[in-house]
Each structure stands twice: as C-alpha cells, then as structure tokens.
Amino acid sequence: QRQMCIRDSFICEDYRRKGNGKILMDAAKDYAQLNKFGSIELSTSKGNLDGQSLYESLGYIRDQEFYSYDLEI
C-alpha cells in the first residue's frame, strides 16, 4: 500500500481560522485518492492544538503506538 507523507505544512498566521487549513488538507486528500495512495501520514508538534483539532475533525487518527525520533548531525 502506497502512503503519502505530508511534511512541514503550515498556514501563515494571517490566514489561519479562515478555513484555509481544511482547504489544504482536502486538496491533499483529493490528490492522494486520485493517485491511489492508501493513506496519508503527517505529524505535528505536541503543542499544535489547532492543527491536531483540524486533523482529527477530518478523520485523521492520532498514533498511540510510535514515538518519533531525530538526531541532528
């Protein structure tokens, strides 16, 4: 199953709370469906409550099994 990954997406502050995030996420879903991806994966910071609320309202399910790690070199 192919998976589409969304990285580093954001809405400039002046355009938040105007439906632009939903428009962006709906376009990503349309693209994924058109190109036959099986799922969309994304991540957000723990403090991004607005983003989490948007994603969950659109049906995204928060992963409870994995943690993300990074090593800067």
Side-chain angles (χ1 to χ4, degrees):
Q1 165 176 311
R2 291 176 2 135
Q3 184 178 59
M4 185 170 116
C5 297
I6 298 176
R7 301 281 184 240
D8 298 329
S9 65
F10 65 94
I11 302 294
C12 294
E13 194 157 338
D14 290 345
Y15 296 94
R16 292 180 188 164
R17 300 203 172 274
K18 298 179 180 173
N20 292 306
K22 183 179 182 320
I23 291 168
L24 180 65
M25 296 309 298
D26 286 345
K29 182 179 177 183
D30 291 345
Y31 178 87
Q33 289 173 327
L34 181 66
N35 290 281
K36 303 195 182 324
F37 286 93
S39 64
I40 299 173
E41 176 188 283
L42 58 83
S43 61
T44 187
S45 68
K46 292 179 181 178
N48 183 2
L49 301 180
D50 290 338
Q52 293 166 30
S53 177
L54 170 65
Y55 304 141
E56 291 172 14
S57 76
L58 296 173
Y60 287 76
I61 298 169
R62 185 186 314 202
D63 185 284
Q64 299 296 320
E65 186 174 349
F66 295 98
Y67 288 109
S68 176
Y69 291 88
D70 186 37
L71 174 66
E72 290 189 26
I73 306 296

